């Protein structure tokens, strides 16, 4: 029996626990998720390193999964645009059962390996793309079908699984095993297995965006100011990075369409925003390199 399906022996009487103890057990079990991702950190670092040249070449991040795993892939893909200005068309998410499966379980969709392969073909995955294949069991047919089609297309494949020696991790070019063990509620991988996947995906995509110059220091300097909260954040970030007052930061941000990177370089070097934008283009979007020029 897979570890993720094995009943946890220490919690055979879970339904009889007093409520406070029940809650504490469910919370404490989540610590295993962090431990599992920490153990997989070298593999995540290797995945970031391997993905970087493909992103520099214009490739896409393609997330593939079913159920909880697929929904976590959708979540990570959607958040890259507002957080890092990553183009929406360069973050695809394939979910077994299609878009409606984000909200309603589509029974049997995860068992269709052919559909996984077909979905990879439908979006024309190629050698510059990075395909992230996520499956708690590590053997979901939809995900395996997508993995094999992605490898055949020459894409970089990164497999995430919560069981040791699982096919998704074994067959991918880079396998990331998140060994979270049995769940407190047996087989409910929406618990710590899902938590570990969320941490791993956040870690991978955030580290990749840092390497792509989307972060200056630890500041989110490539955000999209798409609402009032993010406008305020852009102003605060620009003021913090440059030492300018918030009124001055807002004025320069308004000149450059609230591009925080451009505003930081313009204010720090006391140059027009167009010159700052051109300078960033020559440095691959690196604020640090632009300020050193």
């Amino acid at each position: 029996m897979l570890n993720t399906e094995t009943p946890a022996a220490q919690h055979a009487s879970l339904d009889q626990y007093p409520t406070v103890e029940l809650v504490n057990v469910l919370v404490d079990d989540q610590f295993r998720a962090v431990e599992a991702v920490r153990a997989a950190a070298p593999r995540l670092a290797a995945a970031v390193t391997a993905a970087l040249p493909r992103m520099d070449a214009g490739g896409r991040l393609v997330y593939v999964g079913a159920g909880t795993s697929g929904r976590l892939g959708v979540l990570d893909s959607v958040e890259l645009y507002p957080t890092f200005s990553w183009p929406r068309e360069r973050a695809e998410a394939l979910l077994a059962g299609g878009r409606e499966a984000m909200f309603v379980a589509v029974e049997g969709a995860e068992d269709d390996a052919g559909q996984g392969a077909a979905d990879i073909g439908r979006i024309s995955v190629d050698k510059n793309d990075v395909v992230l294949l996520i499956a708690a069991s590590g053997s979901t047919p939809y995900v395996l079908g997508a993995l094999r089609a992605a490898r055949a297309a020459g894409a970089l494949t990164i497999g995430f699984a919560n069981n040791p020696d699982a096919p998704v991790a074994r067959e991918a070019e880079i396998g990331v095993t998140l060994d979270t063990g049995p769940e407190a509620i047996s087989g409910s991988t929406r618990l710590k297995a899902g938590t570990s996947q969320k941490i791993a995906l956040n870690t991978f995509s955030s580290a990749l965006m840092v390497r792509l110059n989307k972060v200056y220091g630890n500041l989110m300097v490539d955000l999209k100011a798409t609402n009032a909260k993010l406008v305020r954040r852009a102003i605060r970030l620009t003021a913090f990075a440059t030492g300018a007052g918030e009124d001055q930061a807002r004025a320069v941000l308004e000149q450059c369409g609230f591009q925080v990177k451009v505003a930081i370089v313009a204010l720090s070097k006391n140059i027009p925003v167009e010159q700052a934008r051109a300078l960033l283009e020559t440095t691959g979007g690196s604020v640090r390199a632009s300020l050193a020029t």
Side-chain angles (χ1 to χ4, degrees), residues 102-223:
M102 188 70 190
F103 305 100
V104 179
V106 179
E107 300 302 333
E110 69 176 53
D111 297 326
D112 193 342
Q115 189 60 55
D119 285 349
I120 288 292
R122 175 175 54 81
I123 64 170
S124 302
V125 163
D126 65 25
K127 62 182 178 62
N128 287 329
D129 293 328
V130 175
V131 182
L132 309 170
L133 303 123
I134 317 148
S137 69
S139 57
T140 306
Y142 176 85
V143 178
L144 287 173
L147 188 160
R148 290 159 187 163
R151 289 209 70 164
L156 172 66
T157 53
I158 304 170
F160 296 82
N162 292 90
N163 286 297
D165 198 34
V168 164
R170 191 172 62 243
E171 294 186 27
E173 189 169 337
I174 297 175
V176 180
T177 299
L178 307 169
D179 187 5
T180 44
E183 297 287 359
I185 299 174
S186 60
S188 183
T189 52
R190 61 183 287 273
L191 297 175
K192 67 175 177 287
T195 300
S196 72
Q197 293 172 2
K198 177 70 162 63
I199 298 169
L201 291 172
N202 277 175
T203 300
F204 168 80
S205 60
S206 297
L208 183 60
M209 293 298 137
V210 172
R211 293 279 80 90
L212 289 166
N213 298 319
K214 302 289 187 178
V215 174
Y216 170 52
N218 65 347
L219 303 181
M220 190 194 306
V221 294
D222 225 354
L223 64 83

Side-chain angles (χ1 to χ4, degrees), residues 13-292:
S13 301
L14 187 75
D15 62 331
Q16 297 179 307
Y17 291 177
T19 301
V20 170
E21 183 181 355
L22 172 63
V23 169
N24 284 335
V25 163
L26 292 170
V27 170
D28 289 348
D29 203 46
Q30 295 287 331
F31 284 103
R32 182 71 181 271
V34 179
E35 293 168 357
V37 181
R38 169 62 74 182
R43 302 301 293 160
L44 288 169
V48 171
T49 299
L52 186 58
R54 301 195 189 222
M55 296 300 97
D56 283 335
R60 295 170 294 176
L61 293 172
V62 180
Y63 298 75
V64 183
T68 296
S69 299
R71 294 183 190 103
L72 289 169
V74 172
L75 181 62
D76 204 62
S77 72
V78 167
E79 292 179 344
L80 294 178
Y81 175 75
T83 309
F84 300 111
S85 294
W86 187 250
R88 290 189 177 98
E89 65 274 13
R90 294 182 66 189
E92 299 268 5
L94 301 178
L95 180 58
R99 288 178 176 270
E100 68 178 88
M102 188 70 190
F103 305 100
V104 179
V106 179
E107 300 302 333
E110 69 176 53
D111 297 326
D112 193 342
Q115 189 60 55
D119 285 349
I120 288 292
R122 175 175 54 81
I123 64 170
S124 302
V125 163
D126 65 25
K127 62 182 178 62
N128 287 329
D129 293 328
V130 175
V131 182
L132 309 170
L133 303 123
I134 317 148
S137 69
S139 57
T140 306
Y142 176 85
V143 178
L144 287 173
L147 188 160
R148 290 159 187 163
R151 289 209 70 164
L156 172 66
T157 53
I158 304 170
F160 296 82
N162 292 90
N163 286 297
D165 198 34
V168 164
R170 191 172 62 243
E171 294 186 27
E173 189 169 337
I174 297 175
V176 180
T177 299
L178 307 169
D179 187 5
T180 44
E183 297 287 359
I185 299 174
S186 60
S188 183
T189 52
R190 61 183 287 273
L191 297 175
K192 67 175 177 287
T195 300
S196 72
Q197 293 172 2
K198 177 70 162 63
I199 298 169
L201 291 172
N202 277 175
T203 300
F204 168 80
S205 60
S206 297
L208 183 60
M209 293 298 137
V210 172
R211 293 279 80 90
L212 289 166
N213 298 319
K214 302 289 187 178
V215 174
Y216 170 52
N218 65 347
L219 303 181
M220 190 194 306
V221 294
D222 225 354
L223 64 83
K224 282 290 185 188
T226 53
N227 58 39
K229 177 189 76 175
L230 293 176
V231 166
R232 291 193 296 271
R233 183 179 295 170
I235 293 169
R236 290 195 301 269
L237 286 171
T238 303
F240 181 85
T242 63
E246 290 196 358
D247 289 344
Q248 185 182 13
R250 175 186 280 275
V252 175
L253 283 164
E254 287 174 347
Q255 293 175 40
C256 62
F258 277 81
Q259 293 179 291
V260 175
K261 281 184 174 183
V262 175
I264 289 173
V265 174
L267 283 165
S268 298
K269 296 181 74 72
N270 193 26
I271 58 177
V273 294
E274 289 306 319
Q275 187 178 341
R277 185 178 285 112
L279 185 55
L280 281 161
E281 289 177 2
T282 67
T283 62
S286 170
V287 171
R288 191 172 299 280
S290 295
L291 295 180

